[in-house]
Amino acid sequence: SDVGVAGKHGVCCGMDDFERAIRVIFSQDPSISPAVRQQATEYCDAIKVRADGWQFCWDRFLQSDSLEVRFWCLQAIPPALRSLSPDARSELRGKLLAWLRDVAPSRQEELVLRNKLALLYAGLLKLDYASSWPTGFKDLMSLLEKGPNLVDFFLRVLTIFDQEVVSDEVPRSPEDRQQSQQIKHAMREGDVVQLVECWYRILTSFQKSAPQLVNDCLKVIAIYIVWIEILTVANDRFFSAISSLISEAGPYSGEACECLAAVIAKKMPAGKKVQMLRELQILQRLEGAVHRNASDVQLLGKEAEMVNSIGEVALEAYVDLRVSTDANLALAAWDFTKQLMSFVFFFFSSSSYQIADRVEPFLTEFFVKVKSFVSGADKQLMDQGPCHTVSLDEVRPILMQTLQLIIQRIAYPDWFQHNDPNFEDDEQHIAFLEFRRSLTKIYKRIFLVDEQLGFQFVQAAIAQLAQGLSSVKPMEVDAVLYLYKEAGEIVKDVGQHLQAKGPLAGSFVQLVECEALVKADHWAVQLALMEIYVRYGKIFAFHQDLFSRYGQRVLESFVGTQGIRAKDPRVVTRSCFMFARFVKLVRAQVAPLAVQIHGAIQDLLAVPFVPSSLLPVQAEVSLTRVLIKGSLKVEDQGYLFEALASLVVAAPPEELRSKLEVLLKGPAGNLSDILGGAARASSDMPGYAGWAGRSIEAIGTVSKAFSAQHTSTVPAWEEIMALTARVLEKFVGQLGPEIGLWRAALFLCRRMVEVLGDRFLGTLDTLLPFLYASNDQADLTELTIFAHHVVCQFQQKTVLLLQKWLHQIFLRPFAVWQQMPEGSEQLKREKLELSCALLQLLKEASQRCAPALLEAMLAGSTCRHGQEMISMLLIGLSDAHELRPLLYSSSAWAALLEAACSDASALSSLPLAQLLQRLLWSMVRMDYNDIQAQKVLNEAASVLRSVTNPRVQPQTQLQQTMEALQQALIGALPGLRNDAAPRRLCEALSQEAPLKDIRTTLQQCAAEWRRDCGG
């Protein structure tokens, strides 16, 4: 054989060709060539298809000492079983049983071989058990007395037989499923009772000598109980054995818990389930099996899962029985569930969340359904027939004990690492957070069952915390405060609750009265308090007397060392954010203290100059975002400016300007210093520009609180904008985008649209040339978007501005767009975004300020930006696959042509032939499944109606336009077999048909072309 060459590759030459081939197949030797491996594979495959292949493989399995050879032989036989004759399979069964009887008891085979042998036996059972081999299981059971090896084989066969043949969880063909049902029926009739007896002997005989066999046997019982007769296992003898295995706390106890749970969870009518639970004395067995004093977390976790499963079964049974005719069984199910709670609470009270969270699913399900159990909770159901209910008094002890345990379990454990990115994906941390979320849901559901009890619990928890704070750990304090905060989410209207001085209002007063708590120095407590101040702070707006007593204390906690001056940066950041929210809640009450608050935090509002040499910033990081040591982050400082600004706007109109100027004095003064110190600024342009950017950003943040209604502040804002324009002029064209000055100025301009209203147009006239000095694609995209927002905001009032600056507003980004590369998908996307921004600007300007655009577009070659706008609008029509540019361009053309309709010379000056060619070409080929396509269709119809309007152009010009339209249709619809649709379109246009009819005929043209040409 050619395989003999394998001997040259390190394979023993004393072997025959078959063994050498097997060694080649399994060898990892890189020197063996693919050709030799292929030869070896083909040689072995030829053995598989031989008529006596199975016999050859079995004989070599018996003869060889090589693991690879024996494994390959056992692997080769099962796939061939179906093709063997009944006599051959009978012969193979005899050989396998003989080996099991004579060899297996004393030979310890490798695990892979034991699995393959079990697979072979299971395969023979699948084919012959229900027909020619009814003794298949009996033959196997008769060998169990030969010792542990045969017991192990017996259990492996049953496990594999379940996976390969009888399990309903494995997807199977209809034929295999039918065969599975036949085999199950035959097993129930002939072998299940004996199989169960064997299981019992294994459970009671091998605890000490072979505990792994007990483990495996319990697994087998758990998978077979799904379909065998329940009473074969659900009896006193069997349950005593399983309970004993649990109570022994041995290596098989965890599996015994799963087995017991599986038996109890078997599907059956609810009435029979309750009878089984009662007759088998499950609660008494649990009392003897559960290890209340054990420290084995793994075992306790398994026991908790078992109790959880039993609880779910009992709960489901009660849900079914409470609307049945048998009130006694329903009562029994409820009593069982209620008594099981002692076990549930034992595990739920565990200090290890890995144990406590095992009973959380049952508790969650219980509290999802318990509201409907309580008397009067479901009157409609009561009217429909017999129904068992429970009183609220019966449920209250369960609710209270659950609440008491939740407040313990929801506290973060000592090992939990907060805000550490190294633990964000840690399974233990993720699991605890999920557990905490589940407990929160249970907590909220308890309020739905008994709101009064929930409020009483919260009040008691806050009172105990305030009285015994010194003996409570910080994370336990956090847990109490967290649950108090979450209670506010349950109340439908927190404001109304606080105004009426409800229970949560009383608890808030208790909390702020506790000075030690308000001044706590632990970060978690400080963060929790900030959340509570904002959640319930509106109480100060309803009850002025409370603000007089406690408002100062809360404000001090915000602006002091428990808040924005805390040691922990997490507290600082959160406090700045929450302070802004708190101030807005109680603005009227805090406004009189604005001056004091400003003075208290003025040092934190400073925007310091930092030399650029101290800021080694990467290109993509803006200098306005750099954190300066000893100062607040820009975002945090912004929240403080925002908070103070919200207080300023609450001042009387006559005081607004002066107070605003005081607030802006710092950042505005920086801008003045930069302009006044020209020599200094020129020595460090990036440093001073960055300082200006941070100062302007602070000013923009302050402006968020103001609007055009605050007319008295207009002079102050105009002064600021004048300073900003001069600063931009000073640094224009000298700095890269990373400095952040340009973006800060654009941010302020966006705000001034809202703050100055129409008066901003004059300021913008000064700023525009400086803003458009940038050549950065991202900047120009943002600026073009801002320009279209200005047009949308001020409508026709922007005509003069556009007429003056359209060459800058359009040409600068257009020139950059023309130079942008398209070498990658990312570059293509960036170019597309800028083009869409430009086209959207042209669309909005066309719809609101058409004269400004038409003036440039009709000026001919003397106006470059007008010609480039025409070019851009035509380019936007060119790609049928990009619907955004297509929609913007078609909308712009529709608006421009409608505006130009009153002037025939204007129409004749526009490139109508090109417009029609591109528009119709793309309109026919666009994706009509996209909702934008219908909008494009509407705009196209509008364009056609405008250009063919006979009332606005001479007959000669109209005829030329119609000829251009016909040529455009011919070009757009190549291969169209019937010109009926295009003719209907031309007729509709000549008859000045409604826009809807033109749109319909346009769509018919596209549909018929697609039908004829497969477009």
Side-chain angles (χ1 to χ4, degrees):
S1 169
D2 291 339
V3 181
V5 300
K8 300 176 183 178
H9 296 275
V11 181
C12 179
C13 294
M15 303 175 186
D16 62 14
D17 287 345
F18 173 67
E19 292 210 12
R20 281 198 291 272
I22 295 296
R23 291 295 179 95
V24 168
I25 290 172
F26 283 95
S27 175
Q28 301 297 314
D29 185 353
S31 66
I32 299 178
S33 68
V36 171
R37 292 189 185 277
Q38 182 65 24
Q39 288 176 357
T41 301
E42 290 174 356
Y43 179 82
C44 292
D45 287 346
I47 293 174
K48 291 180 183 179
V49 299
R50 282 167 42 179
D52 65 340
W54 72 269
Q55 193 162 14
F56 174 86
C57 289
W58 181 258
D59 290 343
R60 296 307 294 261
F61 164 72
L62 296 178
Q63 297 165 8
S64 179
D65 292 327
S66 166
L67 175 61
E68 291 88 348
V69 171
R70 303 180 81 215
F71 175 80
W72 188 92
C73 290
L74 290 178
Q75 185 174 253
I77 298 175
L81 289 179
R82 193 174 291 276
S83 63
L84 298 184
S85 67
D87 290 341
R89 287 204 298 270
S90 177
E91 184 180 354
L92 176 57
R93 293 199 302 267
K95 290 177 178 290
L96 178 55
L97 285 167
W99 183 86
L100 290 170
R101 182 186 63 243
D102 301 331
V103 179
S106 58
R107 179 161 181 159
Q108 192 64 38
E109 296 287 4
E110 293 286 347
L111 178 63
V112 290
L113 298 183
R114 282 184 277 162
N115 285 335
K116 289 298 177 185
L117 285 162
L119 180 62
L120 175 57
Y121 200 102
L124 290 167
L125 282 169
K126 178 181 179 180
L127 292 172
D128 298 331
Y129 170 72
S131 55
S132 58
W133 193 24
T135 63
F137 284 105
K138 293 182 178 65
D139 292 343
L140 187 56
M141 288 186 281
S142 68
L143 298 172
L144 294 181
E145 62 185 16
K146 291 188 173 292
N149 286 358
L150 271 298
V151 174
D152 175 80
F153 184 79
F154 166 70
L155 296 173
R156 286 182 192 279
V157 168
L158 289 176
T159 301
I160 292 173
F161 188 72
D162 173 77
Q163 297 167 355
E164 297 290 324
V165 182
V166 298
S167 175
D168 289 332
E169 295 181 3
V170 179
R172 305 188 194 281
S173 67
E175 296 80 8
D176 285 345
R177 195 163 293 282
Q178 183 178 4
Q179 182 189 31
S180 171
Q181 295 303 323
Q182 292 172 349
I183 290 173
K184 287 179 183 177
H185 179 72
M187 290 180 69
R188 290 190 193 100
E189 293 292 322
D191 292 307
V192 164
V193 173
Q194 290 171 276
L195 286 171
V196 171
E197 187 59 33
C198 292
W199 297 339
Y200 180 79
R201 292 207 307 272
I202 295 169
L203 294 183
T204 55
S205 303
F206 291 96
Q207 296 101 313
K208 294 183 179 179
S209 60
Q212 185 57 47
L213 293 179
V214 176
N215 231 28
D216 294 341
C217 183
L218 290 163
K219 291 178 181 178
V220 167
I221 297 170
I223 58 178
Y224 275 80
I225 196 61
V226 175
W227 60 270
I228 66 172
E229 169 54 48
I230 182 66
L231 293 178
T232 58
V233 175
N235 53 60
D236 181 70
R237 187 174 72 132
F238 228 102
F239 267 56
S240 294
I242 297 175
S243 300
S244 176
L245 293 174
I246 298 172
S247 63
E248 289 175 13
Y252 33 68
S253 295
E255 204 62 55
C257 292
E258 292 190 20
C259 180
L260 184 65
V263 174
I264 292 175
K266 180 179 171 65
K267 296 294 182 183
M268 65 176 71
K272 289 187 176 181
K273 180 78 73 175
V274 173
Q275 288 176 338
M276 180 185 78
L277 294 173
R278 187 168 52 189
E279 291 170 3
L280 292 176
Q281 299 181 310
I282 298 301
L283 291 169
Q284 291 84 340
R285 294 184 192 278
L286 289 177
E287 197 62 58
V290 169
H291 295 83
R292 292 184 181 271
N293 298 316
S295 58
D296 186 341
V297 174
Q298 190 172 0
L299 175 58
L300 288 171
K302 289 291 185 182
E303 291 177 351
E305 287 178 356
M306 173 183 65
V307 168
N308 184 81
S309 178
I310 295 171
E312 290 176 334
V313 167
L315 183 62
E316 184 181 2
Y318 176 68
V319 170
D320 291 342
L321 289 170
R322 64 184 294 266
V323 292
S324 71
T325 56
D326 196 332
N328 289 330
L329 280 176
L331 176 60
W334 171 250
D335 285 343
F336 182 92
T337 304
K338 195 165 59 170
Q339 292 177 59
L340 186 70
M341 281 294 180
S342 65
F343 297 98
V344 173
F345 288 139
F346 164 71
F347 292 112
F348 195 50
S349 65
S350 172
S351 58
S352 171
Y353 92 94
Q354 294 100 324
I355 296 172
D357 77 341
R358 305 296 173 88
V359 293
E360 173 270 316
F362 164 70
L363 285 171
T364 295
E365 190 66 17
F366 178 84
F367 287 107
V368 165
K369 296 177 177 176
V370 71
K371 184 174 174 60
S372 64
F373 302 166
V374 178
S375 293
D378 201 343
K379 294 180 180 178
Q380 183 180 359
L381 192 59
M382 289 278 287
D383 295 339
Q384 292 174 356
C387 182
H388 179 273
T389 60
V390 297
S391 68
L392 190 56
D393 289 339
E394 278 187 273
V395 176
R396 273 191 175 131
I398 297 174
L399 303 181
M400 181 53 75
Q401 194 164 358
T402 306
L403 286 169
Q404 291 168 345
L405 290 173
I406 283 176
I407 208 166
Q408 298 171 26
R409 298 285 69 77
I410 211 163
Y412 286 103
D414 293 339
W415 51 262
F416 194 93
Q417 299 296 315
H418 298 266
N419 302 105
D420 188 335
N422 295 322
F423 291 90
E424 284 181 358
D425 299 323
D426 177 66
E427 289 184 6
Q428 189 180 21
H429 283 69
I430 293 172
F432 177 77
L433 291 175
E434 184 59 38
F435 177 55
R436 186 176 163 100
R437 281 190 288 270
S438 299
L439 295 185
T440 304
K441 290 178 183 177
I442 293 173
Y443 171 74
K444 291 178 178 179
R445 289 192 179 278
I446 291 175
F447 277 80
L448 298 178
V449 179
D450 190 345
E451 187 178 70
Q452 182 182 359
L453 178 69
F455 285 142
Q456 289 173 353
F457 172 78
V458 169
Q459 288 177 301
I462 293 294
Q464 290 174 16
L465 177 64
Q467 293 168 10
L469 181 64
S470 60
S471 61
V472 184
K473 295 179 179 178
M475 285 306 170
E476 293 173 348
V477 177
D478 170 72
V480 175
L481 298 178
Y482 170 76
L483 291 179
Y484 172 53
K485 182 200 73 169
E486 290 298 313
E489 291 193 357
I490 301 160
V491 179
K492 290 182 180 179
D493 189 335
V494 175
Q496 186 179 12
H497 181 93
L498 296 173
Q499 190 170 16
K501 293 190 176 181
L504 296 179
S507 294
F508 183 79
V509 172
Q510 280 187 302
L511 187 149
V512 294
E513 275 183 339
C514 182
E515 188 174 0
L517 179 59
V518 172
K519 293 186 176 181
D521 60 358
H522 191 276
W523 66 268
V525 178
Q526 291 168 347
L527 286 177
L529 285 171
M530 296 301 158
E531 300 291 331
I532 287 170
Y533 295 151
V534 171
R535 176 62 55 83
Y536 301 111
K538 205 168 184 180
I539 193 173
F540 293 133
F542 295 126
H543 304 288
Q544 182 65 41
D545 59 314
L546 292 179
F547 185 79
S548 302
R549 289 161 59 192
Y550 307 115
Q552 187 83 15
R553 179 176 294 180
V554 173
L555 287 171
E556 286 175 357
S557 70
F558 270 115
V559 302
T561 54
Q562 283 75 41
I564 61 179
R565 295 185 186 277
K567 299 175 184 176
D568 194 298
R570 292 170 291 188
V571 178
V572 173
T573 293
R574 192 63 179 168
S575 297
C576 291
F577 173 71
M578 298 303 274
F579 179 55
R581 290 183 60 189
F582 177 78
V583 165
K584 290 173 185 177
L585 286 174
V586 289
R587 182 182 304 173
Q589 288 69 36
V590 178
L593 303 173
V595 174
Q596 294 94 310
I597 294 173
H598 186 208
I601 63 175
Q602 190 166 7
D603 60 313
L604 297 176
L605 300 176
V607 182
F609 167 72
V610 181
S612 60
S613 58
L614 301 180
L615 297 170
V617 183
Q618 297 176 356
E620 66 272 14
V621 179
S622 170
L623 290 187
T624 60
R625 296 293 160 198
V626 173
L627 175 62
I628 302 166
K629 187 175 181 181
S631 65
L632 295 177
K633 290 190 291 187
V634 172
E635 295 86 352
D636 299 343
Q637 188 182 64
Y639 291 130
L640 296 186
F641 273 116
E642 212 172 311
L644 289 170
S646 69
L647 295 178
V648 169
V649 296
E654 63 274 12
E655 298 178 14
L656 265 181
R657 180 178 176 181
S658 61
K659 291 194 172 183
L660 173 61
E661 289 173 343
V662 169
L663 182 56
L664 294 179
K665 183 178 180 181
N670 294 342
L671 299 182
S672 298
D673 288 349
I674 292 169
L675 294 170
R680 285 180 300 155
S682 61
S683 67
D684 186 2
M685 295 291 279
Y688 278 91
W691 188 26
R694 295 194 303 277
S695 300
I696 291 173
E697 192 163 325
I699 293 168
T701 301
V702 170
S703 73
K704 289 180 181 180
F706 292 82
S707 69
Q709 296 176 347
H710 300 104
T711 54
S712 63
T713 64
V714 167
W717 290 118
E718 288 181 333
E719 289 176 12
I720 289 292
M721 295 311 295
L723 278 175
T724 302
R726 291 173 59 197
V727 168
L728 283 178
E729 183 180 16
K730 185 180 188 66
F731 294 104
V732 68
Q734 302 184 47
L735 301 166
E738 73 277 1
I739 300 303
L741 171 59
W742 184 92
R743 288 188 174 275
L746 182 59
F747 165 57
L748 182 58
C749 286
R750 285 196 177 106
R751 288 297 316 133
M752 289 302 106
V753 171
E754 306 294 331
V755 174
L756 291 177
D758 295 350
R759 298 184 66 163
F760 176 60
L761 290 174
T763 303
L764 187 58
D765 182 55
T766 305
L767 284 167
L768 270 176
F770 308 131
L771 290 172
Y772 273 94
S774 174
N775 286 316
D776 181 74
Q777 168 265 321
D779 286 352
L780 288 171
T781 300
E782 289 293 317
L783 190 52
T784 304
I785 293 170
F786 167 68
H788 107 249
H789 286 160
V790 169
V791 171
C792 292
Q793 178 73 21
F794 298 114
Q795 306 274 333
Q796 295 179 356
K797 295 175 183 177
T798 54
V799 169
L800 292 177
L801 190 74
L802 288 175
Q803 287 174 329
K804 180 177 180 180
W805 292 111
L806 193 55
H807 64 286
Q808 282 269 32
I809 293 172
F810 176 76
L811 276 185
R812 172 71 72 169
F814 179 74
V816 170
W817 175 80
Q818 285 182 310
Q819 301 300 318
M820 289 177 69
E822 298 183 66
S824 68
E825 290 301 315
Q826 176 64 25
L827 291 173
K828 287 179 182 177
R829 280 194 298 272
E830 290 174 358
K831 189 168 186 177
L832 175 64
E833 288 306 312
L834 181 52
S835 70
C836 285
L838 274 170
L839 289 170
Q840 190 173 19
L841 170 62
L842 293 178
K843 182 202 86 163
E844 302 295 349
S846 299
Q847 292 174 342
R848 294 165 173 81
C849 311
L853 270 66
L854 284 172
E855 180 183 333
M857 294 168 72
L858 298 175
S861 58
T862 59
C863 181
R864 182 190 160 208
H865 65 275
Q867 298 305 300
E868 297 291 18
M869 284 192 295
I870 292 174
S871 173
M872 188 72 192
L873 287 171
L874 290 173
I875 291 171
L877 301 174
S878 300
D879 191 345
H881 301 296
E882 291 292 350
L883 283 180
R884 266 200 305 160
L886 183 57
L887 176 59
Y888 294 151
S889 296
S890 59
S891 300
W893 280 114
L896 289 168
L897 290 168
E898 185 176 357
C901 273
S902 59
D903 185 353
S905 62
L907 283 178
S908 65
S909 300
L910 294 171
L912 298 185
Q914 292 182 58
L915 165 61
L916 293 173
Q917 288 170 7
R918 298 194 186 195
L919 177 62
L920 292 175
W921 175 274
S922 295
M923 185 274 300
V924 168
R925 289 160 179 78
M926 66 185 175
D927 180 8
Y928 278 82
N929 292 320
D930 193 312
I931 194 171
Q932 300 289 344
Q934 297 304 316
K935 297 179 181 179
V936 173
L937 199 59
N938 284 332
E939 301 297 348
S942 179
V943 167
L944 294 183
R945 188 173 67 169
S946 294
V947 300
T948 60
N949 190 335
R951 289 179 296 172
V952 298
Q953 51 188 322
Q955 185 62 34
T956 304
Q957 184 177 328
L958 178 62
Q959 185 176 352
Q960 292 174 349
T961 303
M962 292 302 294
E963 290 174 358
L965 172 60
Q966 291 170 359
Q967 290 300 315
L969 286 168
I970 292 170
L973 305 169
L976 185 68
R977 298 189 189 125
N978 190 321
D979 65 350
R983 277 192 290 104
R984 285 196 301 272
L985 174 62
C986 292
E987 290 171 3
L989 291 169
S990 64
Q991 295 170 7
E992 296 186 71
L995 195 63
K996 184 177 83 169
D997 294 344
I998 299 172
R999 178 184 178 282
T1000 301
T1001 53
L1002 258 179
Q1003 191 161 5
Q1004 288 171 351
C1005 289
E1008 291 188 14
W1009 177 78
R1010 288 167 181 245
R1011 182 196 62 203
D1012 291 349
C1013 303

